[in-house]
Amino acid sequence: MPLFGKSQKSPQELVKALKEAVNSLERGDKKAEKAQEDVSKNLRMENRSHFTIWPTARRSCCSSFSSNAFRPIRFRTRYSLSSGRPASQSTTRGVVYVRDFGNDFTFFPPNTLPFLGRVLIKNMLYGTSDAEPQTEIVVSQLAHELYSTNLLLLLIQNLNRIDFEGKKDVAQIFNNVLRRQIGTRSPTVEYICTKPEILFTLMAGYEHQEIALNCGTMLRECARYEALAKIMLHSDEFFNFFRYVEVSTFDIASDAFSTFKELLTRHKILCAEFLEQNYDKVFNHYEQLLNSENYVTRRQSLKLLGELLLDRHNFTVMTKYISNPDNLKLMMNMLKEKSRNIQFEAFHVFKVFVANPNKPKPILDILLRNQEKLVDFLTRFHTDRSEDEQFNDEKAYLIKQIKELKPAPDQ
């Protein structure tokens, strides 16, 4: 018999049950605390993927239960959570809960009350090895219930209270429902536009190590939709990314940078407008990343800066950036960094200053004062990249441009 049997529950019942379970976790009352103790006890068994039941007694033990009743019973045969089949004989005793679904019985440990709802919702959306996903009508009912009960936000707000596998389930369910379309409409995107706190809660997830990567997965899925990306870009919370990308935990910092980059590059026109409207604020923060003591942060930020400046949609932003002599000085200093990778990324930003046919006087003056040194430096710059034709062509072009620099006529 499959572990969870054949659920007769409707989407409304599933969502209601899951919401009640999450609310219990959120309240942290005595019952929830006891459930969490049971969770720890059950999960610390030798094989974490199994729990204990006694199949010969299940019908007699369950026959008196109503269809909505939960009762704890002790069993003595271990069943796999993943397959529902007997795993091995054992005298180890463990508490499980039993629920009667008509002629089928569902067995699960106390820590899996929220888990059951997630699994059934996940199976409804994705299907299983034995069954196809539910019809669009059922999925539509499920989505409607998720919206009307505000369960998506509730799950995200309590993500840190959910077990490890549950966090992944929540992210999968969220992303699946987000991708759902009716014709050209994306109902979940429209719903989240009316509930931007969902996005802000996900963004704040980077503050918490145990849920940061799960939140990142959901955020990048949200960033694929321009309406949601716009809300995130134009929020005060966006500027927290300049802090998140520098956290000490490498995985979280890298994940945050991936989301940060996605927001700044996915929707070209939207991003260009955002950068133009918020130029000073964005690049004041960005300069801190370029001067970071963290090597990875500096390299990633420098590479992204080059991509942003060379994107034709960002022409106005690029023109403003390369007109600032302080930015030129920063890039010239980064060309002399010990790290060859940082030198190389700095080169791709520096070349934009030199290639600009309408150099402002302050920029031209700096280049003229360092003309001979720059020619000599670039001639010896990364000579081992002999097979990189594009780099060598660009380097030769810069050397030629610098050699031909002359003071402006009005000097």
Side-chain angles (χ1 to χ4, degrees):
M1 183 192 76
L3 176 63
F4 294 108
K6 298 177 181 179
S7 172
Q8 305 290 325
K9 300 184 78 175
S10 67
Q12 292 87 343
E13 291 172 318
L14 277 178
V15 170
K16 182 181 179 181
L18 181 54
K19 184 174 182 179
E20 289 174 354
V22 176
N23 278 331
S24 179
L25 289 177
E26 184 176 39
R27 286 193 302 270
D29 53 26
K30 292 183 179 180
K31 290 183 180 179
E33 289 177 9
K34 179 62 171 65
Q36 289 298 338
E37 290 176 9
D38 290 338
V39 171
S40 300
K41 290 176 182 177
N42 280 278
L43 292 181
R44 289 189 182 116
M45 293 164 67
E46 180 180 356
N47 189 335
R48 294 169 67 101
S49 64
H50 298 83
F51 66 90
T52 305
I53 72 170
W54 186 15
T56 59
R58 65 190 176 209
R59 285 191 181 274
S60 61
C61 291
C62 302
S63 59
S64 62
F65 293 169
S66 68
S67 60
N68 292 316
F70 287 100
R71 297 288 188 275
I73 297 181
R74 293 188 179 276
F75 299 99
R76 295 173 57 183
T77 300
R78 303 172 80 197
Y79 266 60
S80 168
L81 271 174
S82 57
S83 68
R85 302 186 185 92
S88 65
Q89 296 298 317
S90 172
T91 57
T92 304
R93 289 180 177 271
V95 176
V96 300
Y97 278 70
V98 181
R99 187 160 191 171
D100 177 3
F101 290 116
N103 294 323
D104 295 295
F105 296 95
T106 298
F107 298 84
F108 50 102
N111 58 298
T112 56
L113 289 176
F115 170 75
L116 174 62
R118 294 195 313 270
V119 167
L120 293 178
I121 290 175
K122 186 177 173 183
N123 290 350
M124 190 175 286
L125 293 170
Y126 287 94
T128 66
S129 59
D130 300 321
E132 294 294 323
Q134 290 289 345
T135 63
E136 175 57 30
I137 293 176
V138 175
V139 173
S140 177
Q141 292 173 347
L142 174 63
H144 176 75
E145 288 301 313
L146 291 173
Y147 306 153
S148 62
T149 60
N150 213 25
L151 183 57
L152 289 179
L153 178 60
L154 187 64
L155 284 169
I156 294 166
Q157 288 174 332
N158 291 278
L159 201 57
N160 61 319
R161 296 183 174 94
I162 299 174
D163 58 75
F164 177 78
E165 289 298 325
K167 290 179 177 67
K168 295 195 291 185
D169 287 341
V170 170
Q172 282 188 295
I173 291 169
F174 180 93
N175 289 348
N176 184 292
V177 174
L178 186 64
R179 297 185 196 111
R180 178 173 166 267
Q181 286 188 295
I182 300 176
T184 58
R185 290 180 54 234
S186 297
T188 307
V189 173
E190 295 172 4
Y191 167 74
I192 294 176
C193 284
T194 69
K195 298 280 185 180
E197 58 267 35
I198 291 175
L199 298 173
F200 303 149
T201 305
L202 286 173
M203 293 164 82
Y206 281 116
E207 306 272 359
H208 308 283
Q209 184 171 344
E210 67 275 16
I211 63 172
L213 301 184
N214 305 104
C215 290
T217 298
M218 291 183 272
L219 279 171
R220 284 188 294 280
E221 192 67 32
C222 290
R224 296 176 60 232
Y225 300 92
E226 186 169 352
L228 302 184
K230 184 175 183 178
I231 292 172
M232 289 188 276
L233 280 173
H234 288 277
S235 68
D236 292 337
E237 286 79 2
F238 170 78
F239 290 91
N240 291 331
F241 275 100
F242 289 98
R243 178 163 49 86
Y244 298 152
V245 300
E246 288 205 87
V247 297
S248 58
T249 306
F250 176 78
D251 288 349
I252 296 176
S254 297
D255 193 276
F257 195 90
S258 296
T259 306
F260 177 68
K261 180 179 179 180
E262 184 76 2
L263 287 170
L264 286 175
T265 58
R266 163 70 73 161
H267 307 284
K268 302 299 185 182
I269 296 176
L270 170 66
C271 295
E273 291 175 351
F274 167 74
L275 291 173
E276 289 176 31
Q277 294 169 12
N278 299 274
Y279 179 89
D280 291 336
K281 188 175 182 180
V282 169
F283 284 96
N284 284 340
H285 281 83
Y286 210 100
E287 186 175 351
Q288 296 174 16
L289 299 184
L290 297 174
N291 289 310
S292 172
E293 295 181 0
N294 186 304
Y295 164 76
V296 176
T297 298
R298 297 182 72 194
R299 182 182 175 186
Q300 287 182 323
S301 302
L302 193 53
K303 185 174 182 179
L304 177 57
L305 176 63
E307 293 177 18
L308 291 173
L309 296 182
L310 292 171
D311 190 315
R312 62 184 181 84
H313 295 89
N314 296 327
F315 179 80
T316 302
V317 172
M318 179 268 290
T319 302
K320 191 168 184 177
Y321 189 86
I322 65 174
S323 297
N324 188 328
D326 290 334
N327 294 335
L328 174 58
K329 292 175 186 177
L330 177 60
M331 289 306 120
M332 290 172 67
N333 286 328
M334 296 186 87
L335 283 171
K336 299 185 293 182
E337 281 280 338
K338 292 181 180 179
S339 166
R340 288 174 57 82
N341 288 321
I342 288 182
Q343 290 176 2
F344 185 68
E345 299 301 341
F347 172 84
H348 289 295
V349 178
F350 174 73
K351 70 186 181 185
V352 186
F353 288 89
V354 178
N356 180 14
N358 301 308
K359 300 176 185 66
K361 184 176 182 300
I363 299 295
L364 182 60
D365 288 346
I366 293 173
L367 294 175
L368 284 170
R369 282 199 303 269
N370 296 276
Q371 192 172 28
E372 292 184 8
K373 292 180 180 179
L374 282 170
V375 170
D376 182 59
F377 176 82
L378 289 173
T379 300
R380 295 180 286 105
F381 185 74
H382 287 221
T383 53
D384 56 329
R385 294 181 181 269
S386 57
E387 296 182 1
D388 190 337
E389 293 184 7
Q390 181 176 346
F391 167 73
N392 285 292
D393 289 345
E394 289 177 347
K395 190 173 79 166
Y397 174 76
L398 292 191
I399 293 172
K400 179 176 180 293
Q401 289 295 308
I402 293 171
K403 282 182 176 179
E404 295 176 354
L405 285 175
K406 294 180 181 180
D410 59 340
Q411 285 187 310

